[in-house]
Amino acid sequence: MAFTVIIPARFESSRLPGKPLMEIEGKPMIEWTWLQAKQSGADRVIVATESRDVQHVCEGFGAEVCLTADHHQSGTERIAEVVEIAGIQGDEIIVNVQGDEPMLPPELIHQVAEGLVAHPEISMATLCEPIEDVETVFDPNAVKVSRDVANRAINFSRAPLPWSRDTFAQTVKTLPENLGYKRHIGLYAYRAGFVKQYVSWPECALEQVEKLEQLRVLWHGEKILVLDALCDAGVGVDTEADLQRVRQLMQGYREV
């Protein structure tokens, strides 16, 4: 199975500017993410960034880098430019690994690519994991996903999804017993041709409100396969608190 990993690494992050170069255990965050991707079985790993500083650092540790425009509104839009620049063919599989996932297991990168290969009728694949605590259900930084009987996405939201009418009418301190909540893992696989189609669509209202780019796909009637992750996805970095938690978890960590 052949696939390419592209790692969007935007320096001017709205919530945590300069995030790709923030240090964790003596390395910039983007290097840890790249190291994980290199172990996934990918044929090629490309860092996509609008920042020459990020480009310089990544080339320093041996990464292939594609310098992109600075106007992109999502990682997928940045990936579409890389597909064009690198001449990636339409049927090739691309895995979008966010640059702020320094702990993402290589197994999950391989899993999402393999899932797309196994479902040629699906345009896009991603992963999810169980939510075990009510605090995460109500955390807007944790994206929730609901699925149909074939593990295709019904909806994604930062709000509690679904809203348990009976349970939450009594208390919001416990989870309903008859439903397992799922947290979306921001890891995507798609064919390069679909990426080009995606960026030709205008943003939809749901995407603009929730700030979730995958909602554009559902809005236009395409299916997203959502598989249960084979293992824990680790901790991504969206906020300063996330960064401190990752630094603590990775204390003493060295790559194999």
Side-chain angles (χ1 to χ4, degrees):
M1 178 183 67
F3 65 97
T4 295
V5 171
I6 302 179
I7 307 174
R10 182 169 176 251
F11 185 82
E12 295 297 337
S13 169
S14 58
R15 283 183 285 185
L16 201 58
K19 182 165 57 172
L21 301 185
M22 290 182 173
E23 187 175 298
I24 301 171
E25 286 297 291
K27 300 182 189 295
M29 185 188 308
I30 186 62
E31 183 172 358
W32 288 114
T33 304
W34 176 79
L35 286 167
Q36 296 297 86
K38 290 287 286 183
Q39 298 178 59
S40 68
D43 298 85
R44 191 176 183 186
V45 179
I46 306 171
V47 176
T49 182
E50 89 293 6
S51 166
R52 291 194 179 277
D53 288 340
V54 174
Q55 178 189 26
H56 176 74
V57 169
C58 290
E59 289 177 344
F61 58 72
E64 179 181 359
V65 183
C66 183
L67 191 65
T68 61
D70 60 4
H71 59 73
H72 298 305
Q73 299 299 307
S74 70
T76 308
E77 291 178 11
R78 195 174 304 282
I79 283 174
E81 185 178 356
V82 177
V83 167
E84 195 68 33
I85 292 172
I88 298 173
Q89 299 301 304
D91 59 348
E92 292 186 44
I93 290 177
I94 303 295
V95 178
N96 176 350
V97 174
Q98 301 298 324
D100 55 11
E101 294 281 353
M103 300 180 69
L104 185 68
E107 298 91 331
L108 297 189
I109 300 172
H110 190 274
Q111 181 191 3
V112 75
E114 192 172 49
L116 194 62
V117 170
H119 293 82
E121 77 286 2
I122 298 290
S123 301
M124 183 170 167
T126 189
L127 303 177
C128 67
E129 61 185 3
I131 295 176
E132 306 291 353
D133 59 279
V134 72
E135 290 80 13
T136 301
V137 170
F138 283 86
D139 181 357
N141 291 316
V143 177
K144 277 66 67 174
V145 59
S146 59
R147 302 180 291 180
D148 66 15
V149 68
N151 288 334
R152 296 169 301 193
I154 297 172
N155 200 9
F156 297 86
S157 182
R158 297 183 183 279
L161 180 73
W163 180 267
S164 180
R165 185 195 64 176
D166 294 340
T167 302
F168 295 154
Q170 300 173 37
T171 176
V172 294
K173 296 181 179 180
T174 60
L175 292 175
E177 296 181 357
N178 61 340
L179 180 73
Y181 280 80
K182 298 288 186 177
R183 184 184 78 86
H184 176 231
I185 297 170
L187 174 66
Y188 304 102
Y190 20 51
R191 291 169 187 86
F194 176 73
V195 178
K196 293 182 179 181
Q197 182 182 23
Y198 170 91
V199 298
S200 73
W201 294 328
E203 289 187 15
C204 69
L206 286 175
E207 174 188 6
Q208 292 172 336
V209 170
E210 291 260 19
K211 304 301 181 188
L212 298 174
E213 60 181 292
Q214 65 269 36
L215 290 173
R216 191 186 311 184
V217 179
L218 299 183
W219 180 273
H220 286 277
E222 295 289 341
K223 301 297 184 183
I224 302 177
L225 180 69
V226 186
L227 299 171
D228 290 297
L230 293 172
C231 60
D232 184 86
V235 179
V237 179
D238 289 318
T239 65
E240 179 66 31
D242 293 335
L243 178 62
Q244 297 309 320
R245 184 181 176 199
V246 167
R247 282 173 170 165
Q248 184 177 28
L249 289 169
M250 293 183 67
Q251 278 185 357
Y253 184 84
R254 297 290 183 271
E255 74 269 23
V256 177

